[in-house]
Amino acid sequence: MKKRVYLDYSATTPMKQEVLDEMLPYFTEKFGNPSSIHSFGREAKQAIDLSREQLAKSIGAKADEIFFTGGGSEADNWAIKGIAYANRDKGNHIITTKIEHHAVLHTCEYLEKNGFEVTYLEVDAHGRINIDDLKSAIKDQTILITIMFANNEIGTIQPIKEIGQIAKEKKVIFHVDAVQAFGNIKINVNDLNIDLMSLSAHKVYGPKGIGALYIRKGVKIHSLIHGGAQERRRRAGTENLPGIVGFGKAAALADENLEAHIQHVKVLRDKLIKGIMEKVGYVRLNGHPEHRLPGNANFAFEFIEGESLLLSLDMLGIAGSSGSACTSGSLDPSHVLMALGLSHEIAHGSLRLTIGDFTTEEDIDYVLQELPKVVDRLRQMSPLYEKVKGGQK
């Protein structure tokens, strides 16, 4: 069997056995509809209540501030559209950044076509916003600031506490897309002054197709999905019972193992970054050197196409990514890398390797053994590289 190394944990994670074990009974014997008043329904409702408590505890919230959704993208859509339409009488201005996930950017673009004004903040060469730019962007009509906790491609962590403080002082609602940060960074929504926060289970060793939106008590928001009275009349549709149970267990495990998880992935990530920077020339590390997710490494290799690099690594059993899994069908260079000021050519040569709980030191050694050879072989086909190598301008 060919060796297989999975280094795409930012795209999705394998479900942990404990999570699956917790979920299984809710597909078969504990299958009740949580809205039913009989014992089968009550049993299902109790399971959802427990999951809500587990999720709330992991982010320092109250259980009645957690609302389950179909995933992170739905949570982003609900937060942004729901706040925009509920607060239209106060203003129509939203502030975000140029490097958000498309679930945020495309929602903001939709609102721009429907009478809202959006300011897209620039980021520095490491992908962080300038706090003074944020302060300058706020005006009387500003109703929402929506900024991701950590970037899905380059791993850069934003100064969330400072942003939350400014939003609180200016009385502007603050939404955070924490899909990548949750389970990788200690998060307390009260310490950080976060009003709404999007989460997703499949990034923390839970099931796909289930997410959540934290909504601070007292925040005025419209519903995105109308129908029945589920999720305290805020999000209609029969609950995904096994998914919710799995998310609760995954959140509890992530909270319990957070320090050990951070330590494990950070050591391997640092070894990977050090090894690649030493063994390969004409490469740069994308993202912030310090303020970054513990398991994220993103590189830009000059004189090669990221797509060729990915396919070559895949043939060796190494799974990586050239950016967000949600845009893999696009041939355009990453909007995140372009926002850092990279040229089209260099942005096209990007590789994201993300580490998780099941990554081993042997996996990293294998990548450090094979990746430099792949890069070298691909560069031999580049006329530009041959010129540079030959000292020509």
Side-chain angles (χ1 to χ4, degrees):
M1 278 290 286
K2 180 173 70 175
K3 186 169 175 65
R4 295 181 83 206
V5 174
Y6 184 77
L7 291 182
D8 204 12
Y9 280 82
S10 283
T12 197
T13 59
M15 204 190 298
K16 288 192 171 169
Q17 188 62 46
E18 303 98 306
V19 175
L20 180 60
D21 292 344
E22 198 85 8
M23 290 170 69
L24 285 175
Y26 294 91
F27 286 105
T28 51
E29 67 262 31
K30 299 180 179 181
F31 59 85
N33 186 321
S35 298
S36 302
I37 61 169
H38 49 62
S39 63
F40 290 85
R42 292 197 304 274
E43 185 177 53
K45 188 178 180 303
Q46 281 167 4
I48 289 178
D49 290 344
L50 172 63
S51 294
R52 212 184 294 281
E53 282 166 20
Q54 288 171 316
L55 202 50
K57 180 177 176 287
S58 69
I59 60 168
K62 300 185 186 81
D64 62 0
E65 295 175 315
I66 302 295
F67 297 85
F68 291 108
T69 67
S73 291
E74 184 195 323
D76 284 341
N77 270 261
W78 182 13
I80 298 165
K81 291 174 186 169
I83 291 298
Y85 288 120
N87 295 276
R88 213 167 185 169
D89 55 331
K90 293 180 187 166
N92 71 336
H93 182 233
I94 296 166
I95 298 171
T96 188
T97 79
K98 289 189 170 180
I99 64 164
E100 297 300 306
H101 189 276
H102 280 129
V104 168
L105 291 178
H106 289 169
T107 303
C108 288
E109 286 163 15
Y110 165 82
L111 288 174
E112 282 183 291
K113 292 172 189 160
N114 288 274
F116 289 88
E117 183 197 343
V118 182
T119 297
Y120 299 90
L121 298 176
E122 302 271 356
V123 292
D124 64 20
H126 295 311
R128 286 193 120 205
I129 67 156
N130 182 318
I131 286 293
D132 290 333
D133 289 351
L134 173 66
K135 287 178 182 172
S136 305
I138 297 172
K139 47 190 180 183
D140 293 344
Q141 295 79 31
T142 307
I143 52 172
L144 175 68
I145 296 168
T146 174
I147 292 177
M148 61 182 6
F149 206 121
N151 187 266
N152 50 302
E153 292 187 35
I154 57 172
T156 297
I157 298 166
Q158 296 297 343
I160 293 296
K161 188 159 189 169
E162 291 171 73
I163 299 168
Q165 193 56 48
I166 291 162
K168 189 179 180 183
E169 284 166 12
K170 298 287 184 181
K171 295 183 170 54
V172 176
I173 295 166
F174 181 33
H175 166 248
V176 172
D177 175 345
V179 166
Q180 293 290 337
F182 181 59
N184 286 304
I185 302 170
K186 185 69 185 164
I187 300 174
N188 184 298
V189 288
N190 294 308
D191 290 350
L192 300 169
N193 294 305
I194 295 170
D195 297 309
L196 301 104
M197 188 164 77
S198 305
L199 305 168
S200 178
H202 78 103
K203 308 292 191 186
V204 287
Y205 311 93
K208 294 171 180 62
I210 185 74
L213 181 63
Y214 154 76
I215 305 172
R216 184 183 292 283
K217 223 182 183 70
V219 168
K220 194 167 90 170
I221 185 168
H222 282 183
S223 292
L224 184 68
I225 298 172
H226 301 93
Q230 293 90 352
E231 293 300 287
R232 298 183 300 294
R233 299 185 182 276
R234 282 189 157 174
R235 199 273 186 184
T238 301
E239 298 91 341
N240 173 0
L241 180 58
I244 289 171
V245 167
F247 197 0
K249 182 64 176 177
L253 288 173
D255 193 34
E256 196 182 307
N257 304 325
L258 186 63
E259 290 309 316
H261 162 77
I262 291 171
Q263 182 60 22
H264 171 73
V265 298
K266 195 169 178 296
V267 166
L268 295 179
R269 180 207 65 187
D270 290 348
K271 177 176 181 167
L272 178 68
I273 291 174
K274 184 172 183 286
I276 288 176
M277 301 306 276
E278 283 174 359
K279 289 169 182 271
V280 183
Y282 301 102
V283 60
R284 60 164 274 163
L285 179 69
N286 295 319
H288 202 284
E290 289 148 27
H291 301 294
R292 76 184 297 136
L293 289 171
N296 175 288
N298 188 306
F299 306 95
F301 297 93
E302 290 188 57
F303 316 115
I304 55 173
E305 283 285 327
E307 206 79 0
S308 310
L309 181 56
L310 277 182
L311 292 170
S312 300
L313 290 173
D314 189 37
M315 286 169 75
L316 293 164
I318 300 166
S321 157
S322 58
S324 164
C326 306
T327 56
S328 58
S330 168
L331 292 173
D332 293 331
S334 152
H335 70 284
V336 175
L337 298 183
M338 296 304 288
L340 302 188
L342 268 63
S343 67
H344 269 71
E345 295 75 27
I346 294 176
H348 267 303
S350 71
L351 174 69
R352 180 185 73 178
L353 298 173
T354 43
I355 292 160
D357 284 352
F358 300 108
T359 310
T360 64
E361 194 164 3
E362 288 74 25
D363 291 338
I364 302 302
D365 288 339
Y366 180 62
V367 172
L368 291 176
Q369 172 192 303
E370 298 300 329
L371 180 67
K373 292 189 269 188
V374 171
V375 170
D376 191 51
R377 180 173 57 78
L378 292 172
R379 280 179 175 165
Q380 298 309 321
M381 303 176 209
S382 165
L384 274 175
Y385 181 62
E386 287 306 311
K387 277 185 187 175
V388 170
K389 217 170 124 187
Q392 297 173 343
K393 290 286 177 190

